[in-house]
Amino acid sequence: MQKVHFSTVCMVPPDSAVDVWEQLTKARRQLRDPGLYRWPPHANLLYPFVNLCKPKKNKQDSFEAAQQGSPAEMDSEYDEEIFAECMNRLVEAVQQIEPFDITLEELGTFGGKKRGVLWMYPTSKWVSPFYFANHVAQSRSTENEPLIRLQGLLQEALPLCNDQQKGGRYAPHITLTHTKTLEEAESLKSDIMEWWKPVKFRCEEIYVLQRKGDDGQFQIVATIRLGKLAAENGASIERSEKPRAFVGMPQVEEDWVREERMKLKKRRNRGGRGRRSRRRSRSKEEGATS
């Protein structure tokens, strides 16, 4: 198995949570989010995720493309063996978590001098006090939030996909926009909090999403339902006949969204070149002293 950045397992508000989608979309538009077309409002659980597709046939560089995880070089045909194994592992993990509620009311930021992100924290709570009392140690720690526990179980099922935990901890967030600096992200918080009203929805399922091509949109490949009841009824997983978009997603990428996305891509590429240059310099220094 190999990880790719055009595949993810994530939590997304369901299509039925219209008020949640409306507020998040309003905020993302106001903040000129570069990911408005590419990404639904989401919290990544396993990202990058396993490449579920076969390499394109009749390509001399198909192996290299597969290793690099380039969506432009991947076939729309799934590797059924890998697909089945990944879905089985995910289903086994989510059976251990019953549906839970998520509230969106707290904004946060992270970044530095050359990067900033403004995000919404998805506070998750158990629906049933009985479930909480019998399955979770009584504690006020955020580690007992069901969304955080869910991510931990998923990562145990697919330890290859361990990028979402930093220092052994998972910090769930729904990105609202990317900025040039942390200071800029901080300055935008008050603009959103002026009108934001806390919204709540029930998380009963998570999604496997993929995008095709650099300009593609992340769409639903499979829906995985939480809890033992879904498993007992044989309804834990619903595979999409073909990738489908969430109802609240834009059908086309507006010009301003693409412009913002290209600006972000340019900043990331520039930062990546700087990091590679620093790594080469350190390697030379180490080689000279070894």
Side-chain angles (χ1 to χ4, degrees), residues 11-240:
M11 182 282 296
V12 180
D15 288 328
S16 59
V18 177
D19 57 336
V20 178
W21 273 82
E22 286 178 346
Q23 284 202 185
L24 287 170
T25 301
K26 177 182 177 181
R28 296 174 74 191
R29 282 188 170 277
Q30 179 178 326
L31 296 166
R32 298 182 69 81
D33 179 21
L36 183 65
Y37 172 78
R38 171 171 286 189
W39 286 98
H42 70 288
N44 280 319
L45 299 168
L46 301 178
Y47 179 75
F49 187 55
V50 175
N51 179 20
L52 303 173
C53 295
K54 294 180 178 180
K56 276 188 176 179
K57 298 177 181 179
N58 301 322
K59 284 272 187 178
Q60 291 183 351
D61 60 345
S62 60
F63 177 78
E64 289 79 3
Q67 292 298 103
Q68 295 168 7
S70 169
E73 298 299 334
M74 304 312 296
D75 202 337
S76 58
E77 183 180 354
Y78 295 116
D79 185 315
E80 293 297 336
E81 184 177 348
I82 291 178
F83 193 103
E85 181 177 352
C86 288
M87 296 307 110
N88 288 338
R89 292 192 192 186
L90 296 178
V91 167
E92 289 178 6
V94 303
Q95 289 180 31
Q96 303 175 59
I97 296 287
E98 297 300 318
F100 51 88
D101 288 335
I102 290 180
T103 302
L104 303 180
E105 60 181 338
E106 179 184 349
L107 284 172
T109 59
F110 58 75
K113 293 183 178 180
K114 295 184 178 180
R115 174 180 179 242
V117 177
L118 177 60
W119 46 266
M120 184 70 65
Y121 184 81
T123 302
S124 58
K125 293 184 178 180
W126 305 105
V127 174
S128 168
F130 174 82
Y131 179 81
F132 182 87
N134 286 274
H135 295 270
V136 184
Q138 295 285 351
S139 169
R140 296 181 62 84
S141 170
T142 57
E143 292 181 2
N144 284 330
E145 291 188 17
L147 183 60
I148 294 176
R149 288 178 60 83
L150 173 60
Q151 194 280 332
L153 289 169
L154 292 169
Q155 184 168 311
E156 287 178 13
L158 281 160
L160 170 71
C161 304
N162 59 0
D163 301 74
Q164 290 303 306
Q165 290 191 19
K166 308 299 181 185
R169 298 177 65 88
Y170 170 61
H173 61 279
I174 297 177
T175 297
L176 296 180
T177 195
H178 295 262
T179 58
K180 294 179 181 178
T181 63
L182 175 59
E183 183 179 3
E184 182 181 354
E186 288 282 356
S187 69
L188 293 172
K189 284 175 64 174
S190 59
D191 296 339
I192 301 302
M193 293 309 297
E194 284 180 359
W195 57 265
W196 185 270
K197 297 180 180 179
V199 286
K200 184 178 180 180
F201 62 94
R202 178 73 46 85
C203 180
E204 299 179 315
E205 55 196 29
I206 59 174
Y207 305 93
V208 181
L209 308 183
Q210 279 192 328
R211 67 174 170 85
K212 186 175 181 180
D214 191 53
D215 295 329
Q217 182 181 89
F218 277 94
Q219 298 185 335
I220 303 169
V221 171
T223 301
I224 302 177
R225 298 183 179 89
L226 308 183
K228 292 182 179 179
L229 183 60
E232 291 171 358
N233 293 334
S236 290
I237 184 168
E238 178 183 341
R239 181 170 171 177
S240 303

